[in-house]
Amino acid sequence: AFTFNLLRYLVDRLRLFNDQVDTSIKVQHLMEKRATIDALTGLYNRRWFDEQFDSILNRCKKDNQSFSFIMIDIDHFKQVNDQYGHAVGDIVLHKCGEILLENARERDAAVRYGGEELSLILPSTTLEQALDIAERIRTIIEKTEFQYNKNNTLNISVSLGCSSYTGSEDKKKIMKLADDALYQAKENGRNQVRS
């Protein structure tokens, strides 16, 4: 009886310990997710971007693979917030995040870069392929009705700038090229893709 009770006690303690470890692991995974995922859009956040961009680019360089990058800016987003309120702006950001996630390939990384700026990191992707992806996303967003209450929707557009690694660019240069292309898209009337 003593041995049986001792075994039962030890098994109960072991189960309790296992439950605590399991809970601790779940909490750790949740904290890691919160540290790298933007809560509003479901996209990777700026912190993740800053930590991972170089390693993805360097892996593509090492494997002699193409690499492209897309910067996306929601056109006239300030007007959406001013006219409809920040809650509607949040709906727009959330839906744009969903669209990016639905259209990103498994190897791609969709990021909320900041504010209304989003981006896509595209390993193993040529500039021509990136332009096709960007145009598909632009078209989908342009055709999407963003429902912000039971009876009302609004339409928005996005401008996109694409860049690609061609043999010598680092993170800073690739980002600048995409940002310059995005600026051209906005200067030339918005709702378009440039490289």
Side-chain angles (χ1 to χ4, degrees):
F2 173 77
T3 305
F4 180 76
N5 286 336
L6 180 60
L7 279 172
R8 177 179 276 166
Y9 172 78
L10 290 173
V11 166
D12 288 344
R13 294 290 292 169
L14 188 57
R15 282 186 183 141
L16 178 63
F17 177 74
N18 283 342
D19 288 345
Q20 289 172 340
V21 168
D22 187 47
T23 300
S24 177
I25 290 170
K26 287 178 182 174
V27 168
Q28 181 180 353
H29 287 307
L30 179 62
M31 296 307 285
E32 287 172 2
K33 183 177 179 181
R34 286 184 180 168
T36 60
I37 301 294
D38 177 67
L40 179 61
T41 61
L43 306 177
Y44 287 115
N45 62 22
R46 178 71 179 268
R47 176 182 175 181
W48 181 92
F49 178 90
D50 290 339
E51 292 173 355
Q52 298 299 318
F53 189 102
D54 279 326
S55 64
I56 296 169
L57 175 60
N58 290 334
R59 191 172 36 231
C60 288
K61 287 179 185 179
K62 181 182 170 207
D63 296 341
N64 201 26
Q65 295 178 343
S66 52
F67 176 93
S68 293
F69 179 63
I70 302 173
M71 290 194 77
I72 306 159
D73 190 75
I74 300 172
D75 295 331
H76 305 293
F77 187 71
K78 184 180 181 322
Q79 291 177 356
V80 171
N81 279 333
D82 291 347
Q83 184 174 349
Y84 300 100
H86 290 278
V88 174
D90 287 351
I91 290 168
V92 168
L93 284 167
H94 176 77
K95 184 65 178 173
C96 284
E98 283 182 351
I99 291 168
L100 281 185
L101 289 172
E102 289 167 3
N103 289 279
R105 301 162 302 179
E106 190 173 320
R107 67 180 177 240
D108 300 338
V111 179
R112 182 176 182 194
Y113 189 73
E116 74 274 11
E117 288 186 341
L118 312 172
S119 65
L120 277 173
I121 298 172
L122 306 169
S124 305
T125 306
T126 65
L127 182 59
E128 292 76 24
Q129 292 168 324
L131 289 166
D132 289 342
I133 292 166
E135 181 58 29
R136 184 175 70 243
I137 289 168
R138 186 201 66 75
T139 302
I140 291 168
I141 290 175
E142 180 183 43
K143 292 179 178 180
T144 298
E145 291 189 346
F146 291 78
Q147 186 164 359
Y148 60 91
N149 64 32
K150 190 174 180 179
N151 301 315
N152 295 305
T153 61
L154 70 113
N155 293 86
I156 64 158
S157 63
V158 291
S159 298
L160 303 95
C162 301
S163 65
S164 190
Y165 173 73
T166 62
S168 61
E169 299 85 358
D170 61 4
K171 173 185 176 182
K172 190 174 182 179
K173 181 68 173 175
I174 290 170
M175 290 181 64
K176 179 165 180 10
L177 289 169
D179 195 45
D180 290 348
L182 175 62
Y183 180 78
Q184 284 180 353
K186 292 177 97 50
E187 283 293 301
N188 288 317
R190 294 182 166 83
N191 191 26
Q192 57 189 273
V193 176
R194 292 290 171 135
S195 66

